[in-house]
Amino acid sequence: MADTQTTLSPPQGLERKPPLSVKLFYATGNAAEQTFVTAVAFAFFYYTAVLGLSGSLVGMAIFIGLCADAAVDPFIGSWSDNLRSRLGRRLPLMIVAAPLVAVSFGLMFSPPGGLSDLGLTAWLAVTAVATRSFLSLFHVPYIALGAELATGYAERSSVVAWRAVAGILAGVLVTATAYSVFFAGEGGLQRPENYPGFGWTAGALMLGGIAVCCLGVWRYAAILPTVVPVARTLLARLPGEVAEIFRNRSFRILFLSAIIAYTAVGLNATLNGHAYVFLWRLRPETIQLIAYAYLAGLLVGV
């Protein structure tokens, strides 16, 4: 935070311009995250329309996961800011998160057979908490690293642009894998036996994306300027840091806007499967074309 840490600045006049290879390797991290965003949208349909759990219970379980995500983010951010290692501040947490995200996501789509409604709800809640917490362990330092890779508006915009493109391409890959491999043909999204394979495949893609990202940027990340560590413990300094953030008017506006925007995006992604299958009665091969049109629009916007 600005009032508690002093940046050890690079030499005067030195502007950080990462090579294209570093930007591309870094972007694969967002491909891993977009794999999660695209694949997790299938969870609501799976647990309600396929496994028969009520929408209220599924919504409650997913909501618990989102609350856990919101709770751990500040801890991870403060931890990452003050971490010291030969790999820099960000990479150690990102590396640890990779296998944990993959395993927890695979388990989300692989509930044991014969569970009661309460058991299914508990399974989904626990795996949702685990997946989102471990994803935050990657995502929070990953986003911070992106801002540190470069200085200057143009270079940082370039980093973000490559990150966005990688995310869109990952969304296309996961959508094609879902509708052309696991849910193609008769039965489509309503075949329960295909969801575990889909979950573990998405988990493997996330693991691979994070691994490529970390391996590709570690040399560059290790020499980035660091900061003077804060003497106080994490639990002692965190309340003040959070309060400092919310005193920033720009952050409060951004925070409220993000809540509104992501609520709308989440509702759309969650209910699309039901609308496509039960209202419009579309085949999986057709559903993926709608997803491609959406992603193409994003690409044009970028």
Side-chain angles (χ1 to χ4, degrees):
M1 299 302 171
D3 62 348
T4 57
Q5 296 178 342
T6 303
T7 302
L8 300 180
S9 301
Q12 290 294 325
L14 178 62
E15 184 178 359
R16 291 198 297 278
K17 293 185 177 181
L20 179 60
S21 60
V22 170
K23 296 177 184 178
L24 294 178
F25 279 121
Y26 173 76
T28 61
N30 196 43
E33 184 167 352
Q34 190 60 43
T35 295
F36 167 81
V37 171
T38 306
V40 78
F42 290 85
F44 188 82
F45 187 93
Y46 176 44
Y47 276 85
T48 55
V50 179
L51 298 182
L53 201 57
S54 76
S56 299
L57 291 177
V58 175
M60 180 183 68
I62 293 175
F63 179 70
I64 291 172
L66 289 170
C67 289
D69 185 10
V72 302
D73 278 1
F75 288 91
I76 295 172
S78 187
W79 184 13
S80 174
D81 284 345
N82 293 276
L83 189 63
R84 296 292 172 273
S85 81
R86 290 182 297 175
L87 298 177
R89 295 189 290 171
R90 313 301 182 185
L91 254 63
L93 299 183
M94 295 164 57
I95 293 170
V96 170
L100 300 177
V101 170
V103 171
S104 57
F105 191 82
L107 291 175
M108 182 188 297
F109 283 86
S110 306
L115 290 179
S116 64
D117 284 358
L118 182 60
L120 272 177
T121 304
W123 182 272
L124 177 57
V126 170
T127 54
V129 167
T131 302
R132 289 191 175 276
S133 298
F134 295 142
L135 188 66
S136 291
L137 191 64
F138 165 74
H139 173 75
V140 174
Y142 172 75
I143 292 298
L145 176 62
E148 296 168 350
L149 289 178
T151 56
Y153 178 83
E155 280 300 307
R156 285 181 170 175
S157 296
S158 176
V159 170
V160 172
W162 283 113
R163 188 171 72 196
V165 170
I168 292 170
L169 295 178
V172 172
L173 175 61
V174 175
T175 300
T177 301
Y179 291 113
S180 298
V181 178
F182 290 99
F183 307 123
E186 193 67 29
L189 290 168
Q190 295 175 273
R191 290 184 294 178
E193 67 275 11
N194 289 343
Y195 279 89
F198 171 71
W200 287 108
T201 299
L205 290 174
M206 285 186 270
L207 175 61
I210 296 174
V212 170
C213 171
C214 293
L215 288 172
V217 305
W218 76 269
R219 291 181 184 275
Y220 190 87
I223 60 173
L224 290 175
T226 185
V227 298
V228 176
V230 177
R232 292 179 298 164
T233 64
L234 175 60
L235 292 178
R237 69 177 181 262
L238 187 62
E241 292 177 341
V242 172
E244 177 188 347
I245 292 172
F246 277 93
R247 285 195 295 267
N248 186 305
R249 181 174 180 272
S250 296
F251 174 81
R252 294 197 302 271
I253 295 172
L254 178 63
F255 182 75
L256 179 60
S257 301
I259 290 176
I260 296 172
Y262 285 121
T263 298
V265 170
L267 285 171
N268 177 71
T270 300
L271 299 178
N272 268 345
H274 290 75
Y276 293 153
V277 173
F278 300 118
L279 177 62
W280 301 110
R281 300 184 182 279
L282 299 177
R283 293 180 57 82
E285 294 80 359
T286 306
I287 295 174
Q288 65 180 329
L289 297 179
I290 300 172
Y292 297 152
Y294 168 73
L295 293 169
L298 288 178
L299 187 59
V300 171
V302 171

